[in-house]
Amino acid sequence: MSTTPLAAPRRATITDVAREAGTGKTSISRYLNGEMSVLSPELRARIEAAIERLNYQPNQMARGLKRGRNRLIGMLLADLTNPYSVEVLQGVEAACHALGLMPLICHAANEVEMERRYLQLLTTYRVEGVIVNALGVREETLRPVGGGGIPAVLVDRSVDGLVADMVGLDNRAAAELGTRHLLDNGFDDIWFVVQPFEQVSSRQLREAAFREVMSGAGGTSSDARGHTLVLNLAEPVAVERALAELDRAIDAADGPGDAVASVTGNATGNATSSVTVRTGGKGGRIALFAANAPVALCLALHLKARYGADWQARVALLSIDDPEWAELTGITAIRQPTYEIGYRAVEFLHERIEGVQTTARDCLLPGELIVRASTLR
Amino acid sequence: MSTTPLAAPRRATITDVAREAGTGKTSISRYLNGEMSVLSPELRARIEAAIERLNYQPNQMARGLKRGRNRLIGMLLADLTNPYSVEVLQGVEAACHALGLMPLICHAANEVEMERRYLQLLTTYRVEGVIVNALGVREETLRPVGGGGIPAVLVDRSVDGLVADMVGLDNRAAAELGTRHLLDNGFDDIWFVVQPFEQVSSRQLREAAFREVMSGAGGTSSDARGHTLVLNLAEPVAVERALAELDRAIDAADGPGDAVASVTGNATGNATSSVTVRTGGKGGRIALFAANAPVALCLALHLKARYGADWQARVALLSIDDPEWAELTGITAIRQPTYEIGYRAVEFLHERIEGVQTTARDCLLPGELIVRASTLR
DNA sequence: CTGTTAGCGCCTTCAT
DNA sequence: ATGAAGGCGCTAACAG
């Protein structure tokens, strides 16, 4: 209704309130900090009124400066574009809310340089702790943080050389779960597709677990073959090359009866070639195991472009991460307990901030397999 | 390599640096603020060295307290789950980066109460301005902000009663673009599906523009029918009901030549069964115009569940917003210039912070139609 | 060119 | 139960 007044002179300070309430700053401060028991009901009422009248709101910065803690924590995200991040964030926010913390969210957009800058910026704002889910974090990058005295907890990936709490998916179990599912459903030619994993512990673990299960399966079941394909999403040409390799395998695997030889190598140039001989039947349908949602999306888009809307008839797709389009497209997925990951991360951090000195803890949460049409039969 | 030292005594202060450099705080301060021209090269070098040695990093909070500005701006998002928000955010971050601002990102998770709390919290941290993309913002909610003296710029929606800059999609043009596209491609039964739009200006505008075009079309072309369907995503039962209504329409419109009776009920048990007799030709295919991505996703999921993977053969889907799964599923979309929206918002805000006093400005950016298989033929 | 002196808004002894 | 004084880390006049 009424137009808001344009006059916005200057926010009331504690001094203003004191004057308005006819008392000293100390009492106001006490009121603000909830030390009610030490204030006469009378004074308390006056203060309350003054605050109301002046629409006073304490300046967090000033409080922080004085008491040394500003209730700010940093949350460094490598990639908000990844639904995983947003979901984790929800948990983080909920926990912060519950613990009276304010998360400073920083989005590095997959740029290592950004990560460094943000970390340094957070430090500059004297955040009380940091939750890190970054790409290029190396021990030295985090030095100003982990070492500099401000507590840090890692999400999804650990950083070697840096001892810190970390919380994330139980990668081994998840990769095993997925691989077994594929094997159990008769797929004997499985491609694990993952972004460059040398630097990222979670990817490493997933890939290793996949390989382990596959090699075990080789002995047990007929002769399942497992391949690892690296998909460097940041390098379009590398992606091209990797996908082409995949296409060859798919084409070769398709169709019944006749034997086909396929030579494959990985994208890093450090080619790991493998020769496989198919023996046919419907069972020849290849299965793709995407290490995370971005990879799965890339694969799905490519396959759809190449084989048409019906691409799933030729290839099965399973992904770690359960993005919103998974249900729509019918791919099976391993959903991460993202919300809880975020929540726990904050809890850990909070404990550290409160001075807990335990040795670094790891919290590995289980993933949930969501079977959809893609990997059945 | 080396384990990070656990000793993390206390961050160096400007005083420490001064002592270390054998000079006064003022010079340090000058150095920090880039007033190099006023420092002897010699002193400057000593300062540089001292800072390096102590790994000193100025305390932003303290600076902010003193100079009255902390370079912090608030960014209130109604729903980070909506890809739109994340994309806008990227623009915001880029702009902040360029302008030396630090965005404090707040995610209200579609809860009006949260929005209020965050707004108040931001105020408490003395942010210099706020970018608001909220759900339940009413003039009074923003009072502490817009009126309280701290500049605000609105994104995507305007708030009546509140005069402030706003930047967003040119909703009228976008809705027209989409509707015309549908009409041009022979669809004569179009459903505009939107979340409750009484409170949200952008939704209102889109719906109105849709209706306008449709009524115009009724006169010109044959006799196109336009419907508006409200989908309250927050109310599962309401969603059920709305989707059931849609199903009826789809069943009725479908199929060529021969008459077919189909009985349908929805899953809630609260069955709204309907017997329909199809009469039409291919032209009878209904088109759905989703007002944004969340709506489109909801529709797509439902349709897929009801009509199977081939649902697009029965219904065409066009959406404002171009989520990552749009390409995958082949629906046509109107992509918003999200990045630019975010970028401009920050620019506006920055100007306000710098004291620009112009009357409230609106910046309406055009959407881009991306035609895909769904709405062709 | 460089250092001294006051605060910014708040919390915290320490008296009263 | 209440208030006065000092200081958190930094900047901004003023002197030298």
Side-chain angles (χ1 to χ4, degrees):
Chain A
M1 287 298 143
S2 65
T3 311
T4 345
L6 284 179
R10 170 183 121 287
R11 290 217 149 270
T13 82
I14 201 176
T15 308
D16 299 327
V17 180
R19 191 186 322 108
E20 180 78 13
T23 177
K25 304 194 296 180
T26 313
S27 296
I28 310 298
S29 177
R30 291 205 175 100
Y31 176 89
L32 294 178
N33 293 303
E35 300 172 34
M36 299 309 188
S37 55
V38 196
L39 292 176
S40 70
E42 196 273 327
L43 212 206
R44 182 173 153 182
R46 262 159 52 216
I47 294 180
E48 200 134 7
I51 286 183
E52 176 64 26
R53 224 171 307 138
L54 268 45
N55 186 242
Y56 168 70
Q57 314 204 196
N59 182 329
Q60 285 298 337
M61 297 307 176
R63 319 183 89 174
L65 185 56
K66 185 62 197 164
R67 33 157 71 142
R69 38 189 333 190
N70 52 199
R71 316 274 57 198
L72 250 31
I73 69 170
M75 167 91 213
L76 182 58
L77 265 341
D79 179 17
L80 259 180
T81 267
N82 187 340
Y84 169 85
S85 303
V86 175
E87 290 171 24
V88 169
L89 194 52
Q90 320 226 94
V92 167
E93 286 167 334
C96 282
H97 189 69
L99 295 171
L101 296 170
M102 173 77 171
L104 258 175
I105 299 160
C106 301
H107 178 202
N110 281 323
E111 298 195 34
V112 180
E113 179 54 20
M114 275 279 138
E115 295 180 354
R116 245 178 25 75
R117 297 196 19 151
Y118 268 129
L119 237 20
Q120 131 103 23
L121 196 57
L122 287 173
T123 254
T124 253
Y125 277 103
R126 294 297 186 272
V127 294
E128 297 182 40
V130 199
I131 295 180
V132 178
N133 165 234
L135 187 62
V137 280
R138 285 188 288 151
E139 195 276 335
E140 53 171 272
T141 307
L142 242 25
R143 177 73 53 96
V145 177
I150 115 167
V153 7
L154 272 16
V155 161
D156 186 71
R157 335 127 147 41
S158 59
V159 174
D160 44 32
L162 177 63
V163 282
D165 295 333
M166 99 126 233
V167 23
L169 177 69
D170 183 338
N171 291 295
R172 298 200 55 77
E176 280 181 33
L177 185 63
T179 310
R180 290 248 155 69
H181 167 74
L182 257 16
L183 253 17
D184 290 350
N185 280 77
F187 293 97
D188 59 359
D189 195 358
I190 310 180
W191 288 65
F192 187 82
V193 190
V194 57
Q195 288 170 276
F197 55 88
E198 289 76 20
Q199 309 290 356
V200 181
S201 69
S202 53
R203 294 178 192 159
Q204 251 174 225
L205 289 169
R206 290 172 194 179
E207 199 270 342
F210 165 74
R211 275 240 283 261
E212 208 167 282
V213 175
M214 288 309 285
S215 70
T220 327
S221 41
S222 49
D223 55 346
R225 298 269 315 151
H227 316 249
T228 291
L229 183 69
V230 174
L231 208 56
N232 187 348
L233 296 180
E235 272 325 328
V237 304
V239 170
E240 288 286 356
R241 225 180 316 137
L243 292 178
E245 183 184 345
L246 197 57
D247 290 340
R248 252 173 278 132
I250 294 173
D251 291 342
D254 191 41
D258 40 46
V260 174
S262 74
V263 180
T264 70
N266 72 20
T268 61
N270 207 340
T272 313
S273 56
S274 64
V275 180
T276 78
V277 181
R278 289 203 307 62
T279 51
K282 183 88 190 291
R285 180 150 151 274
I286 278 188
L288 267 30
F289 190 167
N292 65 13
V295 165
L297 182 63
C298 176
L299 290 174
L301 285 172
H302 171 72
L303 295 171
K304 195 226 169 188
R306 187 156 203 270
Y307 300 102
D310 200 32
W311 60 272
Q312 304 216 47
R314 296 178 137 247
V315 199
L317 181 54
L318 161 57
S319 168
I320 288 186
D321 283 343
D322 187 37
E324 56 180 13
W325 52 268
E327 172 70 28
L328 190 56
T329 194
I331 69 167
T332 115
I334 293 175
R335 176 181 300 164
Q336 296 198 50
T338 47
Y339 182 91
E340 195 178 358
I341 289 176
Y343 207 101
R344 300 281 305 183
V346 174
E347 289 181 330
F348 273 177
L349 189 58
H350 184 246
E351 289 175 25
R352 292 302 185 183
I353 291 176
E354 295 308 324
V356 173
Q357 290 287 0
T358 343
T359 60
R361 299 161 292 185
D362 273 21
C363 174
L364 298 184
L365 274 10
E368 176 194 2
L369 179 67
I370 298 179
V371 180
R372 298 207 181 83
S374 188
T375 59
L376 291 182
R377 276 278 51 232
Chain B
M1 284 299 145
S2 65
T3 311
T4 346
L6 284 179
R10 169 182 124 287
R11 290 218 148 270
T13 83
I14 200 175
T15 308
D16 299 327
V17 179
R19 193 187 320 108
E20 179 79 13
T23 176
K25 303 194 296 181
T26 313
S27 296
I28 310 298
S29 178
R30 291 205 175 101
Y31 176 88
L32 294 178
N33 292 302
E35 301 172 34
M36 300 309 188
S37 55
V38 195
L39 293 175
S40 70
E42 197 272 328
L43 212 206
R44 183 173 154 182
R46 262 157 54 214
I47 293 180
E48 201 134 8
I51 287 183
E52 176 64 26
R53 224 170 308 140
L54 269 44
N55 186 243
Y56 167 71
Q57 311 203 199
N59 182 329
Q60 285 298 338
M61 297 307 177
R63 321 182 86 175
L65 185 56
K66 183 64 195 163
R67 34 158 68 144
R69 37 188 333 190
N70 52 198
R71 315 274 58 198
L72 250 31
I73 70 170
M75 167 92 213
L76 183 58
L77 265 340
D79 180 18
L80 259 179
T81 268
N82 186 339
Y84 169 84
S85 303
V86 175
E87 289 171 24
V88 168
L89 195 51
Q90 321 225 96
V92 167
E93 285 166 335
C96 282
H97 189 68
L99 295 171
L101 296 170
M102 173 77 171
L104 260 175
I105 299 161
C106 302
H107 178 203
N110 282 322
E111 297 193 36
V112 181
E113 178 54 20
M114 275 279 138
E115 294 180 354
R116 243 177 26 75
R117 295 195 19 149
Y118 268 129
L119 237 20
Q120 131 104 24
L121 196 57
L122 287 173
T123 254
T124 254
Y125 276 103
R126 295 296 187 272
V127 293
E128 297 183 39
V130 198
I131 296 180
V132 179
N133 165 232
L135 187 60
V137 280
R138 284 189 287 152
E139 195 276 336
E140 53 172 272
T141 307
L142 242 26
R143 178 73 53 96
V145 178
I150 115 168
V153 7
L154 273 16
V155 162
D156 185 70
R157 336 131 150 38
S158 59
V159 174
D160 43 33
L162 177 64
V163 283
D165 296 333
M166 97 125 234
V167 22
L169 178 67
D170 183 337
N171 292 295
R172 299 200 53 78
E176 282 181 32
L177 185 62
T179 311
R180 289 249 155 69
H181 168 73
L182 258 17
L183 253 14
D184 290 350
N185 280 76
F187 293 97
D188 58 0
D189 195 359
I190 310 181
W191 289 64
F192 187 82
V193 190
V194 57
Q195 289 170 276
F197 55 87
E198 290 76 22
Q199 308 290 359
V200 181
S201 69
S202 53
R203 294 178 192 158
Q204 253 173 225
L205 288 169
R206 289 172 195 181
E207 200 271 341
F210 165 74
R211 275 240 283 263
E212 208 167 282
V213 174
M214 288 308 286
S215 69
T220 328
S221 38
S222 48
D223 55 347
R225 299 265 317 149
H227 317 248
T228 290
L229 184 68
V230 174
L231 208 57
N232 187 349
L233 296 180
E235 268 333 323
V237 303
V239 170
E240 288 288 354
R241 226 179 315 135
L243 291 177
E245 184 184 345
L246 197 57
D247 289 342
R248 253 174 276 132
I250 294 172
D251 291 341
D254 188 43
D258 39 47
V260 174
S262 72
V263 180
T264 70
N266 67 23
T268 62
N270 203 342
T272 313
S273 58
S274 65
V275 179
T276 76
V277 181
R278 306 192 289 57
T279 51
K282 185 86 191 295
R285 181 149 150 273
I286 278 188
L288 269 28
F289 190 168
N292 65 12
V295 166
L297 181 63
C298 177
L299 289 174
L301 285 173
H302 171 73
L303 295 171
K304 195 226 169 188
R306 187 157 202 269
Y307 301 102
D310 200 32
W311 60 272
Q312 304 217 47
R314 297 179 136 244
V315 199
L317 181 53
L318 161 57
S319 169
I320 288 187
D321 284 343
D322 187 36
E324 57 180 12
W325 52 269
E327 172 72 27
L328 190 56
T329 194
I331 70 167
T332 115
I334 294 175
R335 176 182 300 163
Q336 296 198 50
T338 47
Y339 182 91
E340 196 179 358
I341 289 175
Y343 207 101
R344 299 283 303 184
V346 175
E347 289 182 330
F348 273 177
L349 188 58
H350 185 245
E351 289 176 24
R352 293 300 185 186
I353 292 175
E354 295 307 324
V356 173
Q357 290 286 1
T358 341
T359 61
R361 299 160 290 185
D362 274 22
C363 175
L364 299 184
L365 273 10
E368 177 193 0
L369 179 67
I370 298 179
V371 180
R372 298 207 182 83
S374 188
T375 59
L376 290 182
R377 274 277 56 228

